[in-house]
Coordinates of all heavy atoms in Angstrom, one line a residue:
M1 N -0.4 -8.8 -21.1 CA 0.4 -9.5 -20.1 C 1.4 -8.6 -19.4 O 2.1 -7.8 -20.1 CB 1.1 -10.7 -20.8 CG 2.0 -11.4 -19.9 SD 2.8 -12.8 -20.7 CE 3.2 -13.8 -19.4
S2 N 1.5 -8.6 -18.1 CA 2.3 -7.7 -17.4 C 3.8 -8.3 -17.3 O 4.0 -9.5 -17.5 CB 1.8 -7.5 -16.0 OG 1.8 -8.8 -15.3
T3 N 4.7 -7.4 -17.1 CA 6.1 -7.7 -17.0 C 6.5 -7.7 -15.5 O 6.2 -6.8 -14.8 CB 6.9 -6.7 -17.8 OG1 6.5 -6.7 -19.1 CG2 8.4 -7.0 -17.8
E4 N 7.3 -8.6 -15.1 CA 7.8 -8.6 -13.7 C 8.9 -7.5 -13.6 O 9.7 -7.4 -14.4 CB 8.4 -10.0 -13.4 CG 8.8 -10.0 -11.9 CD 9.3 -11.4 -11.5 OE1 10.5 -11.7 -11.9 OE2 8.6 -12.1 -10.8
W5 N 8.8 -6.8 -12.4 CA 9.8 -5.9 -12.1 C 10.5 -6.4 -10.8 O 9.8 -6.9 -9.9 CB 9.2 -4.5 -11.8 CG 10.2 -3.5 -11.3 CD1 11.1 -2.8 -12.1 CD2 10.5 -3.2 -9.9 NE1 11.9 -2.0 -11.3 CE2 11.6 -2.3 -9.9 CE3 10.0 -3.6 -8.7 CZ2 12.1 -1.7 -8.8 CZ3 10.6 -3.1 -7.6 CH2 11.6 -2.2 -7.6
R6 N 11.8 -6.2 -10.7 CA 12.5 -6.7 -9.5 C 13.5 -5.6 -9.1 O 14.0 -4.9 -9.9 CB 13.3 -7.9 -9.7 CG 12.4 -9.1 -10.0 CD 13.2 -10.3 -10.3 NE 13.8 -10.2 -11.6 CZ 14.1 -11.3 -12.4 NH1 13.9 -12.5 -11.9 NH2 14.6 -11.1 -13.6
N7 N 13.7 -5.4 -7.8 CA 14.6 -4.5 -7.3 C 16.1 -5.0 -7.5 O 16.2 -6.1 -8.0 CB 14.4 -4.1 -5.8 CG 14.7 -5.2 -4.8 OD1 14.8 -6.4 -5.2 ND2 14.9 -4.8 -3.6
W8 N 17.0 -4.3 -7.1 CA 18.5 -4.6 -7.4 C 18.9 -5.9 -6.8 O 19.7 -6.7 -7.4 CB 19.4 -3.5 -6.9 CG 19.4 -3.4 -5.4 CD1 18.4 -2.7 -4.6 CD2 20.2 -4.0 -4.5 NE1 18.7 -2.9 -3.3 CE2 19.8 -3.7 -3.2 CE3 21.3 -4.9 -4.6 CZ2 20.5 -4.1 -2.0 CZ3 22.0 -5.3 -3.4 CH2 21.5 -4.9 -2.2
S9 N 18.3 -6.3 -5.6 CA 18.7 -7.5 -5.0 C 17.9 -8.7 -5.4 O 18.1 -9.9 -5.0 CB 18.6 -7.4 -3.5 OG 17.3 -7.3 -3.1
R10 N 16.8 -8.4 -6.2 CA 15.8 -9.4 -6.6 C 15.0 -10.0 -5.5 O 14.3 -11.0 -5.7 CB 16.5 -10.6 -7.4 CG 17.2 -10.1 -8.7 CD 17.9 -11.3 -9.4 NE 18.5 -10.8 -10.6 CZ 17.9 -10.9 -11.8 NH1 16.7 -11.4 -11.9 NH2 18.5 -10.5 -12.9
A11 N 15.1 -9.4 -4.3 CA 14.3 -9.8 -3.2 C 12.9 -9.3 -3.2 O 11.9 -9.9 -2.7 CB 15.0 -9.4 -1.9
T12 N 12.7 -8.2 -3.9 CA 11.3 -7.6 -4.0 C 10.9 -7.6 -5.5 O 11.7 -7.2 -6.3 CB 11.4 -6.1 -3.5 OG1 11.7 -6.1 -2.1 CG2 10.0 -5.4 -3.7
R13 N 9.7 -8.1 -5.8 CA 9.3 -8.2 -7.1 C 7.8 -7.9 -7.2 O 7.1 -8.2 -6.2 CB 9.7 -9.5 -7.8 CG 9.2 -10.7 -7.0 CD 9.7 -12.0 -7.6 NE 11.2 -12.1 -7.4 CZ 12.0 -13.0 -7.9 NH1 11.4 -14.0 -8.6 NH2 13.2 -13.0 -7.7
C14 N 7.3 -7.5 -8.4 CA 5.9 -7.3 -8.6 C 5.6 -7.4 -10.1 O 6.6 -7.4 -10.9 CB 5.4 -6.0 -8.0 SG 6.2 -4.5 -8.8
Q15 N 4.3 -7.5 -10.4 CA 4.0 -7.5 -11.8 C 3.0 -6.4 -12.1 O 1.8 -6.6 -12.1 CB 3.3 -8.9 -12.1 CG 4.4 -10.0 -12.1 CD 3.8 -11.3 -12.8 OE1 2.9 -11.8 -12.3 NE2 4.4 -11.6 -13.9
P16 N 3.6 -5.2 -12.5 CA 2.7 -4.1 -12.8 C 2.0 -4.4 -14.1 O 2.5 -5.1 -15.0 CB 3.7 -2.9 -13.0 CG 5.0 -3.5 -13.1 CD 5.0 -4.9 -12.5
D17 N 0.8 -3.8 -14.3 CA 0.1 -3.9 -15.5 C 0.8 -3.3 -16.7 O 0.8 -3.8 -17.8 CB -1.3 -3.2 -15.4 CG -2.1 -3.3 -16.6 OD1 -2.4 -4.4 -17.1 OD2 -2.6 -2.2 -17.1
R18 N 1.6 -2.2 -16.4 CA 2.3 -1.5 -17.4 C 3.5 -0.9 -16.8 O 3.5 -0.3 -15.7 CB 1.4 -0.4 -18.0 CG 2.0 0.4 -19.1 CD 1.0 1.2 -19.9 NE 0.0 2.0 -19.1 CZ -0.2 3.3 -19.3 NH1 0.4 3.9 -20.2 NH2 -1.1 3.9 -18.5
I19 N 4.7 -0.9 -17.5 CA 5.9 -0.2 -17.1 C 6.2 0.9 -18.1 O 6.2 0.6 -19.3 CB 7.1 -1.1 -17.0 CG1 6.9 -2.2 -15.9 CG2 8.4 -0.4 -16.7 CD1 8.0 -3.2 -15.8
T20 N 6.3 2.1 -17.7 CA 6.6 3.2 -18.6 C 7.9 3.8 -18.3 O 8.4 3.8 -17.1 CB 5.5 4.3 -18.5 OG1 5.5 4.9 -17.2 CG2 4.1 3.8 -18.8
R21 N 8.6 4.4 -19.2 CA 9.9 5.0 -19.0 C 9.9 6.4 -19.6 O 10.5 6.6 -20.7 CB 11.0 4.1 -19.7 CG 11.2 2.8 -18.9 CD 12.3 1.9 -19.6 NE 12.4 0.7 -18.8 CZ 11.6 -0.4 -18.9 NH1 10.6 -0.4 -19.8 NH2 11.8 -1.4 -18.1
P22 N 9.3 7.3 -18.9 CA 9.3 8.7 -19.5 C 10.7 9.4 -19.5 O 11.5 9.0 -18.7 CB 8.4 9.4 -18.5 CG 8.5 8.7 -17.2 CD 8.7 7.2 -17.6
R23 N 10.8 10.2 -20.5 CA 12.1 10.9 -20.7 C 12.1 12.3 -20.1 O 13.2 12.9 -20.0 CB 12.5 10.9 -22.1 CG 12.8 9.5 -22.7 CD 12.9 9.5 -24.1 NE 11.6 9.8 -24.6 CZ 11.2 9.8 -25.9 NH1 12.1 9.5 -26.8 NH2 10.0 10.0 -26.3
D24 N 10.9 12.9 -19.8 CA 10.9 14.3 -19.3 C 9.5 14.5 -18.6 O 8.7 13.6 -18.5 CB 11.0 15.2 -20.5 CG 10.0 15.1 -21.6 OD1 8.9 14.7 -21.3 OD2 10.4 15.4 -22.7
S25 N 9.3 15.6 -18.1 CA 8.1 15.9 -17.2 C 6.9 15.9 -18.1 O 5.8 15.5 -17.6 CB 8.3 17.2 -16.5 OG 8.5 18.3 -17.4
A26 N 7.0 16.2 -19.4 CA 5.8 16.2 -20.2 C 5.3 14.7 -20.4 O 4.1 14.4 -20.4 CB 6.0 16.8 -21.6
E27 N 6.3 13.8 -20.5 CA 5.9 12.4 -20.6 C 5.4 11.8 -19.3 O 4.5 11.0 -19.3 CB 7.1 11.6 -21.2 CG 7.4 11.9 -22.6 CD 8.5 11.0 -23.2 OE1 8.9 10.0 -22.6 OE2 8.9 11.3 -24.3
V28 N 5.9 12.3 -18.2 CA 5.4 11.9 -16.9 C 3.9 12.3 -16.8 O 3.0 11.6 -16.4 CB 6.2 12.5 -15.7 CG1 5.5 12.2 -14.4 CG2 7.6 11.8 -15.7
A29 N 3.6 13.6 -17.1 CA 2.3 14.1 -17.1 C 1.3 13.3 -18.0 O 0.2 13.1 -17.6 CB 2.3 15.6 -17.5
A30 N 1.8 12.9 -19.1 CA 1.0 12.1 -20.1 C 0.6 10.8 -19.5 O -0.5 10.3 -19.6 CB 1.7 12.0 -21.4
V31 N 1.6 10.2 -18.8 CA 1.3 8.9 -18.1 C 0.3 9.0 -17.0 O -0.7 8.3 -16.9 CB 2.6 8.2 -17.5 CG1 2.3 7.0 -16.7 CG2 3.5 7.9 -18.7
L32 N 0.4 10.1 -16.2 CA -0.5 10.3 -15.2 C -1.9 10.6 -15.7 O -2.9 10.2 -15.1 CB -0.1 11.5 -14.3 CG 1.3 11.2 -13.5 CD1 1.7 12.5 -12.8 CD2 1.1 10.1 -12.6
A33 N -2.0 11.4 -16.8 CA -3.3 11.7 -17.4 C -4.0 10.5 -18.0 O -5.2 10.5 -18.0 CB -3.1 12.8 -18.5
S34 N -3.2 9.5 -18.4 CA -3.8 8.3 -19.0 C -4.0 7.2 -18.0 O -4.4 6.1 -18.4 CB -2.9 7.9 -20.2 OG -1.7 7.3 -19.7
A35 N -3.7 7.4 -16.7 CA -3.7 6.3 -15.8 C -5.1 5.7 -15.6 O -5.2 4.5 -15.2 CB -3.2 6.8 -14.4
G36 N -6.1 6.5 -15.8 CA -7.5 6.0 -15.7 C -7.8 5.3 -14.3 O -8.5 4.3 -14.3
G37 N -7.4 5.9 -13.3 CA -7.7 5.4 -11.9 C -6.7 4.4 -11.4 O -6.8 4.0 -10.3
Q38 N -5.8 3.9 -12.3 CA -4.8 2.9 -11.8 C -3.8 3.6 -10.9 O -3.5 4.8 -11.0 CB -4.0 2.3 -13.0 CG -4.8 1.3 -13.8 CD -3.9 0.6 -14.8 OE1 -3.4 1.3 -15.7 NE2 -3.7 -0.7 -14.6
T39 N -3.3 2.8 -9.9 CA -2.2 3.2 -9.1 C -0.9 3.4 -9.9 O -0.6 2.6 -10.7 CB -1.9 2.2 -8.0 OG1 -3.1 2.0 -7.2 CG2 -0.8 2.7 -7.1
V40 N -0.3 4.6 -9.7 CA 1.0 4.8 -10.4 C 2.1 5.0 -9.3 O 1.9 5.7 -8.3 CB 0.9 6.2 -11.2 CG1 2.3 6.4 -11.9 CG2 -0.2 6.1 -12.2
R41 N 3.1 4.2 -9.5 CA 4.3 4.2 -8.5 C 5.5 4.5 -9.3 O 5.7 4.0 -10.4 CB 4.4 2.9 -7.8 CG 3.2 2.6 -7.0 CD 3.6 2.5 -5.6 NE 2.4 2.2 -4.8 CZ 2.4 2.1 -3.5 NH1 3.6 2.3 -2.8 NH2 1.4 1.9 -2.8
A42 N 6.4 5.4 -8.7 CA 7.6 5.7 -9.4 C 8.8 4.9 -8.8 O 8.8 4.6 -7.6 CB 7.9 7.2 -9.2
V43 N 9.8 4.6 -9.6 CA 10.9 3.9 -9.2 C 12.2 4.5 -9.9 O 12.1 4.9 -11.0 CB 10.8 2.4 -9.5 CG1 10.8 2.1 -11.0 CG2 12.0 1.6 -8.8
G44 N 13.3 4.6 -9.1 CA 14.5 5.1 -9.6 C 15.4 3.9 -10.0 O 15.1 3.1 -10.9
A45 N 16.5 3.7 -9.3 CA 17.4 2.7 -9.5 C 17.0 1.3 -8.9 O 17.6 0.3 -9.2 CB 18.8 3.1 -9.0
G46 N 15.9 1.3 -8.1 CA 15.5 0.1 -7.6 C 16.3 -0.4 -6.4 O 16.3 -1.6 -6.1
H47 N 16.9 0.5 -5.7 CA 17.8 0.1 -4.5 C 17.0 0.0 -3.2 O 17.5 -0.4 -2.2 CB 18.9 1.1 -4.3 CG 20.0 0.8 -5.3 ND1 20.3 1.6 -6.4 CD2 21.0 -0.1 -5.3 CE1 21.3 1.2 -7.0 NE2 21.7 0.1 -6.4
S48 N 15.7 0.3 -3.2 CA 14.9 0.1 -2.0 C 14.8 -1.3 -1.6 O 14.7 -2.2 -2.5 CB 13.5 0.7 -2.3 OG 12.7 0.6 -1.1
F49 N 14.9 -1.6 -0.3 CA 14.8 -2.9 0.2 C 13.4 -3.4 0.5 O 13.1 -4.5 0.9 CB 15.7 -3.1 1.4 CG 15.4 -2.2 2.5 CD1 14.4 -2.5 3.4 CD2 16.1 -1.0 2.6 CE1 14.1 -1.7 4.5 CE2 15.7 -0.1 3.6 CZ 14.8 -0.4 4.5
N50 N 12.4 -2.4 0.3 CA 11.1 -2.8 0.7 C 10.2 -2.7 -0.6 O 10.7 -2.5 -1.7 CB 10.5 -1.8 1.7 CG 10.6 -0.4 1.3 OD1 10.4 0.0 0.2 ND2 10.8 0.5 2.3
R51 N 8.9 -2.9 -0.5 CA 8.0 -2.9 -1.6 C 7.4 -1.6 -2.0 O 6.4 -1.5 -2.6 CB 6.9 -3.9 -1.3 CG 7.4 -5.3 -1.1 CD 6.2 -6.3 -0.9 NE 5.2 -6.2 -1.9 CZ 5.2 -6.8 -3.1 NH1 6.3 -7.4 -3.5 NH2 4.2 -6.6 -4.0
L52 N 8.1 -0.5 -1.6 CA 7.5 0.8 -1.9 C 7.2 1.1 -3.4 O 6.2 1.7 -3.7 CB 8.6 1.9 -1.4 CG 8.2 3.3 -1.5 CD1 6.9 3.6 -0.6 CD2 9.3 4.2 -1.1
A53 N 8.0 0.6 -4.3 CA 7.7 0.8 -5.7 C 6.8 -0.2 -6.3 O 6.3 0.0 -7.4 CB 9.1 0.8 -6.5
C54 N 6.5 -1.2 -5.6 CA 5.7 -2.3 -6.2 C 4.2 -1.9 -6.4 O 3.6 -1.2 -5.6 CB 5.7 -3.5 -5.4 SG 7.3 -4.4 -5.6
T55 N 3.6 -2.3 -7.5 CA 2.2 -2.0 -7.9 C 1.7 -3.0 -8.8 O 2.5 -3.7 -9.5 CB 2.1 -0.6 -8.5 OG1 0.7 -0.3 -8.7 CG2 2.9 -0.5 -9.8
D56 N 0.4 -3.2 -8.9 CA -0.2 -4.0 -9.9 C -0.8 -3.0 -11.0 O -1.4 -3.5 -11.9 CB -1.2 -5.0 -9.4 CG -2.4 -4.3 -8.7 OD1 -2.3 -3.0 -8.6 OD2 -3.3 -5.0 -8.3
G57 N -0.5 -1.8 -10.8 CA -1.0 -0.7 -11.8 C 0.1 -0.3 -12.7 O 0.7 -1.2 -13.5
I58 N 0.5 0.9 -12.7 CA 1.5 1.5 -13.6 C 2.8 1.8 -12.8 O 2.8 2.5 -11.8 CB 1.0 2.7 -14.3 CG1 -0.3 2.4 -15.1 CG2 2.1 3.3 -15.2 CD1 -1.0 3.7 -15.6
L59 N 3.9 1.2 -13.3 CA 5.2 1.5 -12.7 C 5.9 2.5 -13.6 O 6.1 2.3 -14.8 CB 6.1 0.2 -12.6 CG 7.4 0.4 -11.9 CD1 7.1 0.6 -10.4 CD2 8.2 -0.9 -12.1
L60 N 6.2 3.6 -13.0 CA 6.9 4.8 -13.7 C 8.4 4.6 -13.4 O 8.9 5.0 -12.4 CB 6.3 6.1 -13.1 CG 6.5 7.4 -13.8 CD1 5.8 7.3 -15.1 CD2 5.9 8.5 -12.9
D61 N 9.1 4.0 -14.4 CA 10.5 3.8 -14.3 C 11.2 5.1 -14.7 O 11.2 5.5 -15.9 CB 10.9 2.7 -15.3 CG 12.4 2.4 -15.3 OD1 13.2 3.2 -14.9 OD2 12.8 1.3 -15.8
M62 N 11.8 5.8 -13.8 CA 12.4 7.1 -14.0 C 13.8 7.1 -14.6 O 14.4 8.1 -14.7 CB 12.3 7.9 -12.7 CG 10.9 8.2 -12.2 SD 9.9 9.0 -13.4 CE 10.7 10.6 -13.4
S63 N 14.3 5.9 -14.9 CA 15.7 5.8 -15.3 C 16.1 6.6 -16.6 O 17.2 7.0 -16.8 CB 16.1 4.3 -15.5 OG 15.3 3.7 -16.5
A64 N 15.1 6.8 -17.5 CA 15.4 7.6 -18.7 C 15.2 9.1 -18.5 O 15.6 9.9 -19.3 CB 14.5 7.1 -19.8
C65 N 14.8 9.5 -17.3 CA 14.6 10.9 -16.9 C 15.7 11.2 -15.9 O 15.4 11.3 -14.7 CB 13.2 11.1 -16.4 SG 12.7 12.8 -16.1
A66 N 16.9 11.3 -16.4 CA 18.0 11.5 -15.5 C 18.9 12.7 -15.9 O 18.8 13.2 -17.0 CB 18.9 10.2 -15.5
G67 N 19.7 13.2 -15.0 CA 20.6 14.2 -15.2 C 20.5 15.4 -14.3 O 19.5 15.5 -13.6
V68 N 21.5 16.2 -14.2 CA 21.6 17.3 -13.3 C 21.0 18.5 -14.1 O 21.4 18.8 -15.2 CB 23.0 17.7 -12.9 CG1 23.1 19.0 -12.1 CG2 23.6 16.5 -12.1
E69 N 20.0 19.1 -13.5 CA 19.4 20.3 -14.2 C 20.0 21.6 -13.8 O 20.1 22.5 -14.5 CB 17.9 20.3 -13.8 CG 17.1 19.2 -14.5 CD 15.6 19.4 -14.5 OE1 15.1 20.4 -13.9 OE2 14.9 18.6 -15.1
K70 N 20.4 21.7 -12.5 CA 20.9 23.0 -12.0 C 21.8 22.8 -10.8 O 21.5 22.0 -9.9 CB 19.7 23.9 -11.6 CG 20.1 25.3 -11.1 CD 18.8 26.1 -10.7 CE 19.2 27.4 -10.2 NZ 18.0 28.2 -9.7
I71 N 22.9 23.6 -10.8 CA 23.8 23.6 -9.7 C 23.9 25.0 -9.2 O 24.3 25.9 -10.0 CB 25.2 23.0 -10.0 CG1 25.1 21.6 -10.4 CG2 26.1 23.2 -8.8 CD1 26.4 21.0 -10.9
D72 N 23.4 25.3 -8.0 CA 23.5 26.6 -7.4 C 24.6 26.6 -6.3 O 24.3 26.2 -5.2 CB 22.2 27.1 -6.8 CG 22.2 28.5 -6.3 OD1 23.3 29.0 -5.9 OD2 21.1 29.1 -6.2
R73 N 25.8 26.9 -6.7 CA 27.0 26.8 -5.8 C 26.8 27.8 -4.6 O 27.1 27.4 -3.5 CB 28.3 27.1 -6.5 CG 28.6 26.1 -7.6 CD 29.9 26.4 -8.3 NE 30.1 25.6 -9.4 CZ 30.5 24.3 -9.4 NH1 30.7 23.7 -8.3 NH2 30.6 23.6 -10.6
D74 N 26.3 29.0 -4.8 CA 26.1 29.9 -3.7 C 25.1 29.4 -2.6 O 25.4 29.6 -1.5 CB 25.6 31.3 -4.2 CG 26.6 32.0 -5.2 OD1 27.8 31.7 -5.0 OD2 26.2 32.7 -6.1
A75 N 24.0 28.8 -3.1 CA 23.1 28.3 -2.1 C 23.4 26.9 -1.7 O 22.8 26.4 -0.7 CB 21.7 28.3 -2.8
G76 N 24.3 26.2 -2.4 CA 24.7 24.8 -2.0 C 23.6 23.8 -2.4 O 23.3 22.8 -1.7
L77 N 22.8 24.1 -3.5 CA 21.7 23.3 -3.9 C 21.9 22.7 -5.3 O 22.5 23.4 -6.2 CB 20.4 24.1 -3.9 CG 20.0 24.7 -2.6 CD1 18.7 25.6 -2.8 CD2 19.6 23.5 -1.6
V78 N 21.5 21.5 -5.5 CA 21.6 20.9 -6.8 C 20.2 20.3 -7.1 O 19.6 19.7 -6.2 CB 22.6 19.7 -6.8 CG1 22.7 19.0 -8.1 CG2 24.0 20.2 -6.4
T79 N 19.7 20.5 -8.3 CA 18.5 20.0 -8.8 C 18.7 18.9 -9.8 O 19.4 19.2 -10.8 CB 17.6 21.1 -9.4 OG1 17.4 22.2 -8.5 CG2 16.3 20.6 -9.8
V80 N 18.2 17.7 -9.5 CA 18.4 16.6 -10.4 C 17.1 15.9 -10.8 O 16.1 16.0 -10.0 CB 19.4 15.5 -9.8 CG1 20.7 16.0 -9.5 CG2 18.8 14.9 -8.5
R81 N 17.1 15.2 -11.9 CA 15.9 14.5 -12.3 C 15.8 13.2 -11.5 O 16.8 12.7 -11.0 CB 15.9 14.2 -13.8 CG 15.8 15.5 -14.6 CD 15.8 15.2 -16.1 NE 15.3 16.3 -16.8 CZ 15.4 16.4 -18.1 NH1 15.8 15.3 -18.8 NH2 14.9 17.4 -18.8
G82 N 14.5 12.7 -11.5 CA 14.2 11.5 -10.6 C 15.0 10.3 -10.9 O 15.1 9.4 -10.0
G83 N 15.5 10.1 -12.1 CA 16.2 8.8 -12.4 C 17.7 8.9 -12.4 O 18.4 8.0 -12.8
T84 N 18.2 10.0 -11.8 CA 19.6 10.2 -11.7 C 20.2 9.3 -10.7 O 19.8 9.3 -9.5 CB 20.0 11.7 -11.4 OG1 19.3 12.5 -12.3 CG2 21.5 11.9 -11.4
S85 N 21.2 8.5 -11.1 CA 21.9 7.6 -10.2 C 22.9 8.3 -9.3 O 23.3 9.4 -9.7 CB 22.6 6.4 -10.9 OG 23.7 7.0 -11.6
L86 N 23.2 7.8 -8.2 CA 24.2 8.4 -7.3 C 25.5 8.4 -8.0 O 26.3 9.4 -7.8 CB 24.3 7.7 -6.0 CG 23.0 7.9 -5.1 CD1 23.2 7.0 -3.8 CD2 22.8 9.3 -4.7
T87 N 25.9 7.5 -8.8 CA 27.1 7.4 -9.5 C 27.2 8.6 -10.5 O 28.2 9.3 -10.6 CB 27.3 6.1 -10.3 OG1 27.3 5.0 -9.3 CG2 28.6 6.1 -11.1
A88 N 26.1 8.8 -11.2 CA 26.1 9.9 -12.2 C 26.1 11.3 -11.5 O 26.8 12.2 -11.9 CB 24.8 9.8 -13.1
L89 N 25.4 11.4 -10.4 CA 25.4 12.6 -9.6 C 26.8 12.9 -9.1 O 27.2 14.0 -9.2 CB 24.4 12.5 -8.5 CG 24.3 13.7 -7.5 CD1 23.9 15.0 -8.3 CD2 23.3 13.5 -6.4
N90 N 27.4 11.9 -8.5 CA 28.8 12.1 -8.0 C 29.7 12.6 -9.1 O 30.5 13.5 -8.9 CB 29.3 10.9 -7.3 CG 28.6 10.7 -6.0 OD1 28.2 11.6 -5.3 ND2 28.6 9.4 -5.5
S91 N 29.6 12.0 -10.3 CA 30.5 12.4 -11.4 C 30.2 13.8 -11.8 O 31.1 14.6 -12.1 CB 30.2 11.4 -12.6 OG 30.7 10.1 -12.3
A92 N 28.9 14.2 -11.9 CA 28.6 15.6 -12.3 C 29.0 16.6 -11.3 O 29.4 17.7 -11.6 CB 27.1 15.7 -12.4
L93 N 29.0 16.2 -10.0 CA 29.4 17.2 -9.0 C 30.9 17.3 -8.8 O 31.5 18.2 -8.4 CB 28.8 16.8 -7.6 CG 27.3 16.9 -7.6 CD1 26.8 16.4 -6.2 CD2 26.8 18.3 -7.9

């Protein structure tokens, strides 16, 4: 049985076959390898107002794969993981 997923406003919803919460890139790769032809869509905090993350396949919830990986002050670049919220990013910076 699938679980309903809703965005932050609850205006957009879908019922993916499976919701996964990978913690790192190796777990993301494992989900992709096991997808078996199903559509895989990634979602972060769910702030999108459209159906971009919705799928009846596999929903890749990136919330557990969060954090700042690298700050290059000289280049003015920051590398963050896909599930990093803007609140967490602002705090880290």
Side-chain angles (χ1 to χ4, degrees):
M1 178 176 199
S2 62
T3 302
E4 183 177 73
W5 176 85
R6 294 180 284 208
N7 71 341
W8 67 276
S9 68
R10 298 179 177 263
T12 298
R13 55 185 69 185
C14 61
Q15 288 194 295
D17 182 53
R18 178 167 52 129
I19 298 176
T20 64
R21 290 178 180 84
R23 293 168 293 185
D24 56 34
S25 58
E27 289 184 11
V28 170
V31 171
L32 296 175
S34 70
Q38 284 186 298
T39 300
V40 179
R41 298 246 179 178
V43 65
H47 280 105
S48 180
F49 57 87
N50 59 36
R51 296 186 49 83
L52 184 62
C54 284
T55 183
D56 59 357
I58 301 170
L59 187 68
L60 199 59
D61 178 342
M62 298 301 292
S63 61
C65 189
V68 175
E69 290 196 356
K70 181 180 177 184
I71 298 175
D72 184 338
R73 295 183 192 283
D74 294 333
L77 297 173
V78 178
T79 303
V80 297
R81 291 180 166 175
T84 308
S85 69
L86 290 177
T87 300
L89 177 58
N90 286 335
S91 294
L93 296 178

